[in-house]
Amino acid sequence: MKKIGSYLVIFSVCVLAGCSKPAPDLLTSPDKQLHVKVFVTKQSALAYSIDRAAQPVILESDLGLQLTAADFTQGVAIESQSPVAPVTDEYSMRVGKKSKIAYSANEQTFVIENAQQQKLQVTFRVSNDGVAFRYAVTDPVIAQKQFVKETTGFHFAPTAKAWLQPMSVAQTGWSNTNPSYEEHYQMDIPVGTPSTLGAGWAFPGLFNTNNNWVLVSETGMDGSWHASRLSHESANGAYTVAPPQAPEVFTNGGLLASGTDKLISPWRILAIGDLPTIMQSTLGTDLAIPAITLKNDFIKPGHASWSWAILKDDFTTFDVQKKFIDYAADMHWDYTLIDADWDKKIGYEKLKELVDYAAQKNIGILVWFNSSGDWNQTPYSPKSELLTREQRAAVFTRLRDIGVKGLKIDFFAGDGQSMIAYYVDILKDAAEFNLSVNFHGATLPRGWQRTYPNLMTMESIKGFEFTTFSQADQDPVAKHVAMALFARNVFDPMDFTPMAFGDIPNIKRVTENSFELAESVLMISGIQHFAEIPEGMATVPDYVKDFLRELPREWDDVKFIDGYPGKYLVLARRADEAWYIAGINAEAESKTLTLDLSFAGDQKGVLIGSGETERSFVQQEINSKTSQTITLRPNAGFVVVLK
């Protein structure tokens, strides 16, 4: 009775005197526009919500992690929370939309405790362009930290719309090579629409709610965690983070995240704002793991010639590759990529001849490898030569000694933890041997280009090659490109392998040559592998060739000018003092755009656009002081250079 009475007295005094605990700091962005609330629901589950400019963006959404030896999905409390603290970072990028990046955010960590008094940390960072959060399990009481599931969600208002790429079902497709992030986007669909293939939706996912755009993805993968995707079902607009499918593993490897001393998830990132904010955001690298220490004198972004895109398997021969080296030299490019089965059709001895010949012309040679062990049925070689550290050391030593500059590695199995670790191991080992890397048939980069500067690019998209296989993939290519630029290519480099001016065998090309040229500026890829062959390049005017000869390999800044996902886009990219502006129209009707180019200062330049026919060009002089009115036909584009 005494204790109860004392409690009542203290409670009464506190109520009368107002001696409750001070309100916790609000977690906001530096500009105070974004506001994150983290709380425990009436059902004793952890949750969060996000507002922007007092408008709801992410409604009450679950947070939570379940391990084999600990459950933080229910019956939890916030044991403590740190003060809100500023976080800043400055870093440089060779591959990306900006060369020098400054990141500023406010950070707060919440310590979550379950009924067994086990602890989970959840850290949030809020910058002016978005929100990021991640889980960390460091509690020594939890000896084996084996992931079971997470309840992480992104709940949108029922009126919101989504632009999403379906995940494909593992072990389907040609030679069991799915998933490889190679599906067409579903555009402007109601949130809550089930994924078309039943396997969820790929990151990044784009949403529009209350006039705010949200691009959802993840970054900061160190090989200990599996890659995730959005759930197949999202009732009432509540999307949850889903794990990979069972077959998506390295041979006999693990599927889900695990650790002993610690288990730290990737950062889940949400770029939030208007379309310029989304398109100019660098969250994908801001939250990535900083760069490993390496000799970076071999890091050389550039442009490459490549025979396989249009000519296919039969032309991976010594004489044809020598011709493509000459082609690259004539175009003042940097590389020639020699594709699959070169080991059988050319061989190491002749490869050395090509490398030496190319070196005389200042062209680097890149070679193709098949990543796979027994996880698919792909026939191409060299195959199964990169599976162990010992194998990689032997192969990489031989390639380095020959003078090869990098590898294109194809046909991975998906997103399981052991497969993610395989990517990371390859990147680390390749860096040790001064080799650049391009992953194909692969997962999303998720910021690896910052952590491993030798990662030049990754496919992870239904790229140009598919438009050469069937008319069904060629017909929607303009909309597909105009969509991928608003999602897949916003944070990470994308090896779409763009640009064809001539004919594609057995295919009626639907894009105008001006659209194809614009792709060279719009698409970010550390090495841009151009699909066009010498015969097609010979059909364009010299001023187009000169544009491609002088096209920068690295970009210093980006500016979104106009556009809408899947419909049209105009972007400006800066290299030193020069601005390159490009636009495309993917709609069925002509589109007239009025462009204010005054941001470039007082500069003169040229505009290259469509001529009278789909395959022709026209060039005109312009200056940045005068607004430019441009009318684009369907599937047409333009480029501008201001210097």
Side-chain angles (χ1 to χ4, degrees):
M1 290 294 293
K2 193 178 230 181
K3 289 184 179 177
I4 293 175
S6 299
Y7 172 79
L8 289 174
V9 170
I10 294 170
F11 176 75
S12 300
V13 171
C14 284
V15 169
L16 292 172
C19 62
S20 58
K21 289 183 179 180
D25 295 336
L26 291 176
L27 182 53
T28 65
S29 55
D31 65 3
K32 308 298 183 185
Q33 292 297 297
L34 285 171
H35 174 207
V36 177
K37 181 181 179 183
V38 180
F39 54 96
V40 174
T41 68
K42 293 179 180 179
Q43 294 76 33
S44 297
L46 191 64
Y48 76 105
S49 61
I50 303 174
D51 295 346
R52 178 176 181 267
Q55 282 190 323
V57 176
I58 300 294
L59 308 182
E60 178 180 313
S61 300
D62 288 338
L63 293 168
L65 196 61
Q66 183 179 340
L67 310 178
T68 52
D71 187 356
F72 299 101
T73 64
Q74 57 187 344
V76 301
I78 298 177
E79 189 266 345
S80 63
Q81 59 197 68
S82 70
V84 175
V87 175
T88 59
D89 189 17
E90 293 184 357
Y91 61 97
S92 299
M93 296 287 298
R94 300 290 303 277
V95 175
K97 64 178 78 171
K98 296 181 180 181
S99 58
K100 297 185 184 303
I101 300 170
Y103 172 67
S104 177
N106 290 325
E107 178 180 284
Q108 190 170 30
T109 296
F110 299 82
V111 177
I112 311 305
E113 190 174 76
N114 63 14
Q116 289 73 41
Q117 297 184 313
Q118 298 165 314
K119 290 180 172 57
L120 166 73
Q121 297 175 39
V122 184
T123 299
F124 274 82
R125 287 187 185 176
V126 189
S127 55
N128 291 344
D129 59 343
V131 175
F133 61 88
R134 71 177 178 186
Y135 303 107
V137 184
T138 59
D139 190 342
V141 173
I142 308 169
Q144 182 57 39
K145 300 169 177 64
Q146 175 63 53
F147 179 98
V148 175
K149 71 173 184 178
E150 62 180 297
T151 55
T152 307
F154 310 98
H155 188 185
F156 294 93
T159 54
K161 294 297 182 67
W163 288 255
L164 299 168
Q165 181 192 155
M167 285 296 297
S168 51
V169 176
Q171 290 295 301
T172 62
W174 178 79
S175 292
N176 308 92
T177 52
N178 282 331
S180 299
Y181 293 71
E182 294 176 335
E183 303 295 335
H184 285 124
Y185 287 85
Q186 303 296 301
M187 291 179 270
D188 203 12
I189 59 175
V191 292
T193 303
S195 65
T196 51
L197 300 175
W201 302 103
F203 285 134
L206 182 64
F207 300 86
N208 184 266
T209 179
N210 287 331
N211 296 318
N212 287 297
W213 292 90
V214 183
L215 187 63
V216 180
S217 193
E218 61 183 356
T219 190
M221 306 284 290
D222 65 0
S224 65
W225 202 281
H226 53 273
S228 302
R229 69 280 311 261
L230 296 174
S231 53
H232 164 56
E233 298 283 355
S234 49
N236 301 315
Y239 293 80
T240 56
V241 172
Q245 303 157 78
E248 298 181 46
V249 294
F250 191 88
T251 305
N252 299 319
L255 177 66
L256 303 177
S258 64
T260 51
D261 294 337
K262 62 182 179 179
L263 185 62
I264 301 177
S265 77
W267 289 96
R268 281 19 186 298
I269 53 177
L270 302 93
I272 300 172
D274 55 16
L275 279 175
T277 299
I278 301 298
M279 297 297 284
Q280 293 164 196
S281 174
T282 54
L283 277 183
T285 49
D286 294 340
L287 281 299
I289 301 166
I292 61 172
T293 300
L294 78 170
K295 296 178 181 178
N296 57 16
D297 55 347
F298 75 94
I299 305 298
K300 184 182 178 182
H303 302 144
S305 66
W306 178 42
S307 67
W308 191 91
I310 291 176
L311 300 181
K312 301 297 186 282
D313 296 346
D314 291 342
F315 291 82
T316 304
T317 61
F318 181 90
D319 290 341
V320 171
Q321 299 312 305
K322 190 174 182 180
K323 174 183 174 182
F324 272 76
I325 292 168
D326 293 338
Y327 171 41
D330 177 63
M331 293 303 299
H332 301 179
W333 292 345
D334 310 277
Y335 299 101
T336 293
L337 168 62
I338 303 176
D339 217 274
D341 283 350
W342 62 266
D343 58 323
K344 298 175 181 176
K345 298 177 180 178
I346 297 173
Y348 273 95
E349 184 177 337
K350 283 290 193 179
L351 175 64
K352 179 66 166 65
E353 286 187 38
L354 288 173
V355 169
D356 291 343
Y357 178 77
Q360 297 171 17
K361 297 173 176 285
N362 202 29
I363 301 297
I365 293 297
L366 311 169
V367 293
W368 185 97
F369 272 77
N370 189 337
S371 77
S372 68
D374 63 0
W375 52 78
N376 62 47
Q377 305 302 314
T378 52
Y380 292 115
S381 66
K383 178 173 178 171
S384 302
E385 294 187 10
L386 305 177
L387 300 176
T388 68
R389 160 72 180 172
E390 292 72 25
Q391 285 181 305
R392 290 190 293 273
V395 170
F396 293 171
T397 297
R398 190 174 189 183
L399 294 176
R400 180 196 59 191
D401 292 348
I402 287 175
V404 168
K405 302 301 182 183
L407 295 86
K408 172 183 175 180
I409 308 173
D410 213 336
F411 301 137
F412 292 83
D415 288 341
Q417 178 273 320
S418 56
M419 189 56 58
I420 297 298
Y422 182 38
Y423 288 106
V424 169
D425 289 342
I426 289 173
L427 288 168
K428 290 178 179 177
D429 291 344
E432 182 181 334
F433 289 88
N434 292 357
L435 294 168
S436 67
V437 175
N438 168 16
F439 288 130
H440 264 234
T443 191
L444 188 72
R446 294 172 170 85
W448 277 333
Q449 68 274 22
R450 178 184 178 186
T451 311
Y452 306 102
N454 59 317
L455 177 63
M456 292 289 101
T457 190
M458 290 176 71
E459 187 181 33
S460 325
I461 190 69
K462 184 182 275 284
F464 172 83
E465 67 180 36
F466 284 90
T467 72
T468 71
F469 297 153
S470 74
Q471 197 67 41
D473 282 318
Q474 172 69 214
D475 290 341
V477 69
K479 288 185 178 296
H480 179 59
V481 167
M483 180 62 235
L485 293 168
F486 281 90
R488 166 65 183 85
N489 206 199
V490 170
F491 295 137
D492 292 305
M494 176 180 75
D495 197 26
F496 187 86
T497 66
M499 206 178 72
F501 301 133
D503 293 332
I504 301 173
N506 305 312
I507 295 291
K508 182 183 185 302
R509 184 158 62 81
V510 300
T511 52
E512 297 200 7
N513 278 6
S514 59
F515 186 105
E516 297 289 311
L517 183 63
E519 291 176 336
S520 68
V521 174
L522 292 174
M523 293 179 177
I524 289 290
S525 181
I527 296 178
Q528 195 77 273
H529 296 88
F530 289 122
E532 188 53 277
I533 60 177
E535 291 78 6
M537 190 64 71
T539 66
V540 303
D542 287 341
Y543 59 79
V544 171
K545 295 177 189 175
D546 289 340
F547 171 87
L548 291 168
R549 288 177 176 127
E550 298 169 7
L551 185 66
R553 278 69 170 159
E554 302 176 52
W555 300 108
D556 294 314
D557 205 357
V558 62
K559 181 178 176 59
F560 175 83
I561 296 178
D562 200 1
Y564 194 87
K567 294 185 177 181
Y568 71 104
L569 175 62
V570 182
L571 273 182
R573 301 197 187 279
R574 181 176 63 82
D576 294 326
E577 299 303 316
W579 281 96
Y580 286 71
I581 301 103
I584 52 173
N585 175 28
E587 298 190 82
E589 287 79 35
S590 294
K591 190 168 198 68
T592 299
L593 302 168
T594 300
L595 306 180
D596 178 2
L597 304 180
S598 60
F599 64 85
D602 185 8
Q603 299 199 81
K604 296 180 180 180
V606 296
L607 183 153
I608 303 173
S610 290
E612 293 183 0
T613 67
E614 295 178 358
R615 298 287 182 93
S616 65
F617 289 99
V618 66
Q619 179 179 243
Q620 67 182 79
E621 294 184 354
I622 64 169
N623 68 75
S624 58
K625 285 187 174 181
T626 304
S627 294
Q628 301 296 317
T629 299
I630 303 172
T631 298
L632 297 178
R633 295 191 294 251
N635 297 352
F638 71 91
V639 296
V640 167
V641 184
L642 296 170
K643 296 183 179 180

